[in-house]
Amino acid sequence: MSAEAADREAVTGSRPNTPPQTSWFEFLLDPSLLEHHLQKVNPDPSPVQLVIQFLEQASKPSVNEQNLVQPPADNRRNRTLKLLALKVAAHLRWDLDVLEKGLTIPVLNMLLNELLCASKVPPGVKHVDLDLSTLPPTTAMAVLIYNRWAIRTIVLSSFPEKQSKPGPHQLNMYVCVCNLHLCLIKHLLKEQATDSIMVLEAALNIKKDFYIHTLRTLDLLAADPSTANGETESSTAGLRISADELHCQVHYDLGGINFQQGCSDPSAYEKAREHFRRTRELLAKLSPNPLHCHLDEKRLAGYWSACRAVTGTSDPSDSQLTPYGLINNLIKTHNYQGLIDAFIKDNITHSLPNSFRHSVQLELLHRVQQGDKALEEVCHKLCVCNAVRDALEGQVLGVRFQQLLLKPSKRTISFLLEVCTKSLDKDHTSEVSKRKMALFLKNLCERLEEVPLAYMVSSHKLFMELLPDEEKKVLLDQMRKRSATVNLSAKPLPSFYDIPASASVNIGHLEQQLILSLDARQIRQILIELHGMAERPFWRVNSKWEVPSDYLKVILAIKDNLTRDLVYILMAKGLHCVQIKDFVHARQLFSACLELVTEFSPKLRQVMLNEMLLLDVRAHEAGATEGNVERPPSDLVSRVRGYLEMRIHDIPLRQVVGEECVAFMLNWRENEYLTLQVPSTLVNNNPYIKLGQLLAATCKELPGPKESRRTAKELWEAVVQICSVSSQHKRSSDGRVSLIKQRDSSLGIMPRSKFITFVKKLREPLVLTTFISLFVRLHSIVRDDIVNEVTAEHLSIWPSSLANIQSVDVEAVAVTVKELVTYALTLNPNNQSWLITQADIYFVTNQYSAAMHYYLQAGTVCSDYFTKPVPPDVYTDQVLKRMIKCCSLLNCHTQVAVLCQFLREVDYMTAFKALQEQTSHDSMDSFYDYIWDVTILEYLTHIHHKRGEIDKRQVAIKAIGQSELNSSNPEEVLQLAAQKRKKKFLQAMAKLYF
């Protein structure tokens, strides 16, 4: 044995002895192999994989002697491969569920078109014009299978689903690159949807049985079509499918398409309901395992329930409504008492999910808010029913129930106790549920402020049965103490700081009120009561109360515990309100805190003034973001300037205040102030002010002479440092020295993450354009790719090289430029310069479809959706050449040829090369109407004649024969014809890529 053979033996001997996978060509060599292979338990490759392999090989293009790509040849090999694919589908009994799951839409489209050809469906005749009752059984069935698949594909395409990556064995021609082809197939199916529905509806009038192709009938067709045709037309050929079975499947498919159309045509829901009703009737008549009818019965039940809910009808054949149907029926008939009873009953059965119950409550509450006050009591009762259900499931009680308990009536408590009693099935309820109900009643007693209502609960029979004696005794003692408590406070004084405390109540209840309250006076009153009951730091009650670390030391230094808690909580709640943009409550809380600290701490007073400034700045910027273009009041601008010039020492300052103030000044074009009047000490100490000054100086001189490069260079150097990485040498254990780059470098005036955060607070177009321009130039330098450079405005003001290019973090620059442009477009999606820059970014990163989207969008915004000519400074030759390259790499070669005309000098070489491609993923000859260059049209006529493509040649001849393209016409007529075709072509492209 040779060494090579020994190695091979060693490798194969260490693995399980699995049989090799059968190759597709083996089935060509041995006709009997396919049926034997399909009879295996788990054949490898599987049936759907075989269909893919057979059609892939049959659809491979060929290359002729002139090295031109030709369509797949119509020879015996390819016909046999297509027949093998049909035989595999016949083995699967043409089960569309299986075929749709394993095959992509283009592959299944090819398979079913081959079925139509093999079944002798008359070519060139619309299916809707065929009389199915007069066609051979297998031919009629092929038409029905195709049209069933067509409407099922439309329905399935309307469902959102994650795009899966194409597998290694899928068709390169139809899947790997053919997203556009897929869209065209779907578009064609949608256009023919009405015809497909009419075909299937006509099939419902045929009462005789149907027959479908089997392996045997397909073999007969392959052996001798002339003699086999008579047998396949007879009623005994193929697999018999009963009329009821086929009608059941067709009714189900028609119900699906009508339901899908119901969103645009409400009357379609009635049709869908009738089809699903017939489906259910026929399904009950069929055997347990029908041959051809495969339905998702759960989905059918869902469709049926949805149709009844939408149409508001019930079916007499139903013995009883589903829980969902019952609730919908009660709402539609306005039987609200029945609705409440159903919710109480469901507290025992748990047949409705909690989310559905709460959605019903919200729907009725919405009606109350629209003015239907009669439903207000119904909403309260549903809220109580849902709260009891939440308690039984151990869920947190809803906010609306909490609000209902703030001022409950005796009637509300009585109804609540009634619901609790009816929600427990005493004979079958578990001990866990009883304990949960007991805790609910106990907490209810503790929370009710009115003692008589609490006694009403504690004296109820259910309460007495469920709670242990010890818990009842403790709870009753607490209630007696509450009833005996008197108000110890003196008369109220008008000053905020001197508001008295009210009677003490349960600490837990007070702490909950403290968390929920946004009223400064109430917060202080609660704290006075809490400090009277326990001495502990109540600013720690809620872990989500956060105060900046810059201020924490100053606040915790306050000696009086009550004052410390009050200052901390007021500031924390105010900061939270600012964060969620509740500026009204934030201003009230900050004002109260300012009044409080003014009496004892000048340092905290300045802190609060700074926070109120930040609040006013953010409130004004929020208004500007929502469309308020009014300039800020002069008082606010003066306060911002005062902060930037502040020289008070020992005041804790948050950098975010300076950051927001600088962004505010830049957004309102206060460049003169930032450039000349900000103190140099503040510039050196605050990086945001430093960056703002450099940016303001650069923007002030744009557009300007070459002298503006001096100020631009300083901004450039600051930004390059931010995007640089620090390097250090490290000696390894073997003595070699390696270079380590530290991404979070301290070289710049601020980290890149903080720089991005600052930039996203800017909205002034010139400021953003300046930053985008800077990063585009930096990106071009570090990439060092002259051919694929990103373009932007004002590139000439920046340096053209870097001294220490190795220190720049290339990845950080690339990420930053993408973030900047994306953010800028969220503010103004119609800025043509930013759109071209975004398109270039996608172009240089090989995302050609996205690049085309933005190139076209840039054209639409400056031409009123291409109704006017696109300015030449937008669609420059460079932009057009990049659009041409995008289309070429997307295999849209006809689009390439059309775009070649847009150049100042028509690029005939590129256009001719593109038109030589026979595999194009665009609409090919449908784009010929957009070609106005006669030379290109003449070449098209020649190349189609050479290939024998008569139909396409006729389209080209028709295009070239239009009188407005006659070279004898005046120049104005020719220009008008070109502009007309440019407009229509660009609008067609926009529909494809938007």
Side-chain angles (χ1 to χ4, degrees):
M1 181 184 294
S2 67
E4 182 181 353
D7 289 341
R8 189 164 56 248
E9 179 68 24
V11 171
T12 56
S14 62
R15 295 195 297 241
N17 189 18
T18 56
Q21 188 184 68
T22 309
S23 297
W24 62 269
F25 61 82
E26 296 181 51
F27 297 100
L28 279 175
L29 302 175
D30 184 0
S32 63
L33 180 60
L34 179 64
E35 194 166 353
H36 174 72
H37 178 80
L38 295 175
Q39 296 301 327
K40 294 179 182 178
V41 179
N42 291 308
D44 185 21
S46 66
V48 290
Q49 288 175 328
L50 280 177
V51 172
I52 293 170
Q53 291 177 16
F54 291 149
L55 292 180
E56 179 183 16
Q57 296 301 322
S59 63
K60 277 189 175 179
S62 57
V63 180
N64 63 10
E65 295 177 356
Q66 288 78 28
N67 206 27
L68 293 176
V69 179
Q70 300 291 325
D74 184 18
N75 51 32
R76 182 181 176 187
R77 169 189 174 276
N78 287 346
R79 288 194 296 271
T80 305
L81 285 168
K82 293 175 183 177
L83 179 67
L84 289 172
L86 292 175
K87 291 173 74 173
V88 175
H91 169 75
L92 297 173
R93 295 180 178 176
W94 305 97
D95 187 343
L96 289 180
D97 286 336
V98 176
L99 295 173
E100 287 167 343
K101 186 177 180 181
L103 303 177
T104 60
I105 291 175
V107 178
L108 192 45
N109 180 51
M110 177 188 278
L111 177 69
L112 295 182
N113 274 294
E114 290 301 327
L115 173 64
L116 294 175
C117 293
S119 301
K120 306 292 191 299
V121 174
V125 180
K126 288 186 176 181
H127 292 178
V128 72
D129 297 332
L130 297 172
D131 184 357
L132 297 181
S133 60
T134 62
L135 293 177
T138 51
T139 305
M141 196 63 183
V143 173
L144 293 179
I145 290 174
Y146 178 85
N147 286 281
R148 277 187 53 224
W149 168 74
I151 64 172
R152 286 162 65 102
T153 302
I154 296 170
V155 173
L156 290 174
S157 298
S158 66
F159 297 156
E161 61 177 325
K162 184 178 179 182
Q163 294 293 326
S164 58
K165 294 182 179 179
H169 300 296
Q170 292 181 340
L171 292 177
N172 293 330
M173 179 178 175
Y174 287 87
V175 176
C176 296
V177 195
C178 289
N179 285 335
L180 182 59
H181 186 199
L182 177 61
C183 293
L184 290 173
I185 291 175
K186 289 180 181 178
H187 180 70
L188 182 63
L189 293 178
K190 287 178 182 177
E191 284 187 342
Q192 298 175 350
T194 304
D195 288 355
S196 295
I197 292 171
M198 293 174 65
V199 169
L200 296 176
E201 287 175 343
L204 297 175
N205 298 322
I206 301 175
K207 305 304 179 185
K208 62 182 180 181
D209 293 342
F210 292 77
Y211 291 83
I212 193 168
H213 273 303
T214 61
L215 274 74
R216 175 176 172 273
T217 59
L218 291 169
D219 276 332
L220 290 171
L221 285 173
D224 189 354
S226 59
T227 59
N229 191 40
E231 183 173 352
T232 56
E233 287 184 7
S234 72
S235 60
T236 59
L239 179 65
R240 187 177 71 86
I241 307 297
S242 70
D244 283 347
E245 192 174 337
L246 182 72
H247 289 174
C248 181
Q249 184 72 63
V250 170
H251 274 300
Y252 177 76
D253 293 334
L254 285 172
I257 189 68
N258 277 286
F259 190 87
Q260 189 256 347
Q261 294 174 345
C263 57
S264 56
D265 178 14
S267 64
Y269 286 124
E270 292 286 353
K271 297 178 184 178
R273 182 183 173 281
E274 181 60 25
H275 282 300
F276 289 131
R277 185 186 67 78
R278 289 289 297 138
T279 303
R280 297 170 79 235
E281 289 178 358
L282 291 168
L283 191 62
K285 293 168 58 178
L286 298 179
S287 60
N289 294 307
L291 289 173
H292 186 67
C293 183
H294 302 286
L295 302 181
D296 185 341
E297 295 192 32
K298 288 185 178 179
R299 175 162 289 193
L300 174 61
Y303 271 135
W304 179 241
S305 297
C307 285
R308 288 187 311 171
V310 171
T311 58
T313 56
S314 58
D315 194 86
S317 63
D318 285 339
S319 58
Q320 60 181 7
L321 292 170
T322 63
Y324 294 100
L326 174 64
I327 298 299
N328 283 316
N329 195 42
L330 291 170
I331 294 174
K332 285 186 177 293
T333 57
H334 305 290
N335 184 1
Y336 297 118
Q337 184 56 49
L339 179 65
I340 293 165
D341 293 339
F343 268 48
I344 295 173
K345 183 180 178 182
D346 184 65
N347 283 349
I348 298 176
T349 60
H350 291 203
S351 55
L352 295 171
N354 239 340
S355 57
F356 177 75
R357 290 170 58 113
H358 284 285
S359 69
V360 171
Q361 179 188 334
L362 288 173
E363 180 184 342
L364 296 184
L365 185 64
H366 179 63
R367 295 186 189 179
V368 172
Q369 292 170 345
Q370 289 182 327
D372 192 350
K373 298 299 180 184
L375 290 177
E376 193 165 358
E377 186 178 354
V378 176
C379 287
H380 289 165
K381 290 186 175 182
L382 291 180
C383 181
V384 169
C385 294
N386 285 335
V388 173
R389 169 69 175 272
D390 289 338
L392 289 172
E393 293 189 347
Q395 302 291 327
V396 178
L397 300 181
V399 175
R400 298 199 179 277
F401 181 70
Q402 307 274 12
Q403 293 172 338
L404 193 62
L405 289 185
L406 293 177
K407 291 183 179 180
S409 64
K410 183 177 179 181
R411 187 175 177 182
T412 301
I413 299 302
S414 177
F415 177 73
L416 191 152
L417 292 172
E418 178 188 348
V419 173
C420 290
T421 304
K422 292 181 178 180
S423 298
L424 287 181
D425 186 353
K426 296 180 182 178
D427 297 330
H428 301 95
T429 303
S430 65
E431 291 300 321
V432 175
S433 296
K434 290 180 180 178
R435 183 58 188 162
K436 287 178 180 177
M437 181 64 80
L439 288 173
F440 174 67
L441 293 173
K442 179 184 174 183
N443 291 333
L444 182 64
C445 270
E446 292 176 343
R447 292 201 51 192
L448 289 172
E449 294 185 9
E450 294 188 31
V451 177
L453 294 179
Y455 275 118
M456 183 178 171
V457 175
S458 63
S459 61
H460 194 270
K461 181 181 178 182
L462 184 65
F463 180 91
M464 303 299 290
E465 289 177 355
L466 295 179
L467 254 73
D469 292 338
E470 291 183 5
E471 290 188 26
K472 283 187 285 189
K473 183 179 178 181
V474 172
L475 190 59
L476 290 171
D477 287 342
Q478 289 178 357
M479 291 166 59
R480 290 191 193 99
K481 290 178 182 178
R482 285 166 57 188
S483 62
T485 303
V486 294
N487 192 342
L488 302 176
S489 65
K491 66 176 182 178
L493 297 175
S495 171
F496 166 78
Y497 196 70
D498 296 323
I499 293 178
S502 63
S504 65
V505 289
N506 181 275
I507 290 181
H509 180 56
L510 283 173
E511 288 180 343
Q512 186 178 25
Q513 285 186 334
L514 183 65
I515 292 171
L516 296 175
S517 178
L518 289 175
D519 183 85
R521 293 172 176 266
Q522 185 184 20
I523 290 169
R524 183 180 180 278
Q525 183 177 347
I526 294 169
L527 281 172
I528 291 173
E529 294 185 18
L530 286 170
H531 276 274
M533 302 168 74
E535 278 298 326
R536 67 168 187 257
F538 288 100
W539 59 271
R540 294 179 176 174
V541 165
N542 189 352
S543 61
K544 293 185 179 179
W545 286 338
E546 293 181 354
V547 164
S549 57
D550 309 84
Y551 304 156
L552 190 59
K553 186 177 179 181
V554 182
I555 295 174
L556 296 184
I558 299 174
K559 294 181 180 179
D560 182 69
N561 294 336
L562 172 61
T563 306
R564 181 179 61 234
D565 286 349
L566 187 55
V567 171
Y568 185 96
I569 293 171
L570 289 175
M571 184 180 288
K573 283 177 174 283
L575 290 169
H576 175 69
C577 288
V578 172
Q579 186 178 359
I580 63 174
K581 297 186 179 181
D582 182 0
F583 299 119
V584 175
H585 281 112
R587 191 169 284 108
Q588 293 170 356
L589 291 163
F590 281 168
S591 298
C593 192
L594 177 62
E595 180 186 346
L596 179 61
V597 300
T598 299
E599 298 184 8
F600 66 88
S601 176
K603 188 180 293 187
L604 280 174
R605 177 181 178 277
Q606 189 58 52
V607 165
M608 290 312 305
L609 288 173
N610 294 345
E611 289 299 325
M612 291 188 74
L613 171 62
L614 179 60
L615 160 66
D616 291 337
V617 166
R618 285 186 173 173
H620 195 275
E621 287 298 289
T625 305
E626 293 169 2
N628 181 13
V629 294
E630 292 184 11
R631 284 193 63 80
S634 57
D635 171 64
L636 180 57
V637 176
S638 298
R639 289 164 60 200
V640 171
R641 290 182 176 184
Y643 177 84
L644 293 177
E645 297 169 11
M646 187 170 58
R647 293 180 174 84
I648 303 175
H649 299 291
D650 299 329
I651 298 295
L653 299 176
R654 285 207 293 159
Q655 274 201 343
V656 67
V657 184
E659 176 187 356
E660 297 268 359
C661 286
V662 172
F664 175 83
M665 299 296 273
L666 287 169
N667 287 336
W668 294 105
R669 302 179 185 176
E670 294 285 339
N671 296 332
E672 194 75 28
Y673 173 80
L674 286 172
T675 307
L676 301 175
Q677 299 179 34
V678 180
S680 58
T681 54
L682 200 59
V683 172
N684 295 330
N685 293 333
N686 192 319
Y688 297 105
I689 298 176
K690 173 68 174 175
L691 185 63
Q693 186 185 63
L694 295 173
L695 189 56
T698 304
C699 291
K700 196 175 72 168
E701 298 183 7
L702 282 177
K706 291 185 177 181
E707 285 72 17
S708 64
R709 293 185 180 181
R710 181 182 58 80
T711 56
K713 185 178 180 182
E714 295 180 15
L715 178 61
W716 168 271
E717 290 172 350
V719 172
V720 168
Q721 288 295 317
I722 291 172
C723 294
S724 295
V725 290
S726 58
S727 303
Q728 63 182 34
H729 295 278
K730 183 179 179 182
R731 189 175 297 278
S732 59
S733 57
D734 58 0
R736 288 184 295 182
V737 176
S738 58
L739 184 65
I740 298 176
K741 287 190 175 182
Q742 185 66 34
R743 192 167 292 266
D744 293 331
S745 168
S746 58
L747 296 174
I749 58 176
M750 67 180 72
R752 191 185 71 88
S753 58
K754 291 187 177 180
F755 171 76
I756 291 295
T757 304
F758 171 71
V759 171
K760 289 186 177 179
K761 291 174 181 175
L762 303 173
R763 50 177 180 75
E764 164 59 28
L766 183 59
V767 174
L768 289 171
T769 298
T770 303
F771 267 139
I772 290 171
S773 172
L774 188 155
F775 271 94
V776 165
R777 170 50 62 88
L778 184 58
H779 184 254
S780 298
I781 292 174
V782 296
R783 284 186 80 249
D784 193 22
D785 186 354
I786 299 175
V787 177
N788 293 324
E789 284 189 346
V790 181
T791 57
E793 294 181 281
H794 310 306
L795 289 176
S796 61
I797 68 172
W798 310 112
S800 57
S801 61
L802 277 175
N804 190 11
I805 195 171
Q806 292 82 7
S807 65
V808 178
D809 188 341
V810 179
E811 183 183 349
V813 173
V815 170
T816 304
V817 73
K818 288 178 184 177
E819 286 189 67
L820 275 176
V821 180
T822 302
Y823 166 70
L825 286 174
T826 62
L827 297 177
N828 182 7
N830 294 328
N831 188 304
Q832 62 195 44
S833 171
W834 297 345
L835 288 168
I836 292 291
T837 302
Q838 181 77 301
D840 285 345
I841 291 170
Y842 281 117
F843 178 82
V844 301
T845 54
N846 304 328
Q847 299 177 71
Y848 301 113
S849 181
M852 283 298 295
H853 171 91
Y854 283 100
Y855 283 134
L856 289 166
Q857 193 167 336
T860 62
V861 300
C862 63
S863 65
D864 197 11
Y865 198 73
F866 300 119
T867 56
K868 304 171 185 175
V870 180
D873 60 332
V874 177
Y875 276 1
T876 62
D877 268 10
Q878 180 182 351
V879 170
L880 291 169
K881 286 177 181 178
R882 290 189 170 186
M883 293 172 71
I884 289 169
K885 185 173 180 182
C886 288
C887 293
S888 177
L889 292 170
L890 290 170
N891 285 339
C892 299
H893 301 296
T894 317
Q895 296 173 15
V896 170
V898 178
L899 283 170
C900 285
Q901 305 171 107
F902 283 61
L903 297 168
R904 285 185 176 83
E905 293 185 8
V906 181
D907 187 351
Y908 291 112
M909 184 177 295
T910 303
F912 293 166
K913 184 178 179 182
L915 293 173
Q916 287 176 6
E917 300 285 344
Q918 287 190 295
T919 305
S920 186
H921 297 145
D922 53 23
S923 303
M924 296 186 71
D925 49 340
S926 66
F927 281 111
Y928 291 177
D929 288 336
Y930 306 132
I931 300 176
W932 64 87
D933 188 283
V934 177
T935 305
I936 295 177
L937 287 171
E938 288 174 346
Y939 181 78
L940 270 173
T941 307
H942 164 72
I943 201 167
H944 287 316
H945 174 73
K946 189 176 180 180
R947 293 175 185 164
E949 297 168 344
I950 300 173
D951 293 340
K952 292 181 180 180
R953 179 172 176 270
Q954 289 300 321
V955 175
I957 291 174
K958 182 180 177 183
I960 203 174
Q962 296 178 77
S963 59
E964 57 188 356
L965 298 183
N966 193 321
S967 57
S968 308
N969 289 335
E971 184 65 24
E972 294 80 6
V973 175
L974 294 174
Q975 286 295 327
L976 190 62
Q979 288 300 331
K980 174 184 171 184
R981 284 161 176 75
K982 280 184 181 181
K983 179 185 77 171
K984 289 185 176 180
F985 171 71
L986 290 172
Q987 288 174 343
M989 292 285 281
K991 290 179 182 178
L992 283 175
Y993 288 98
F994 284 180

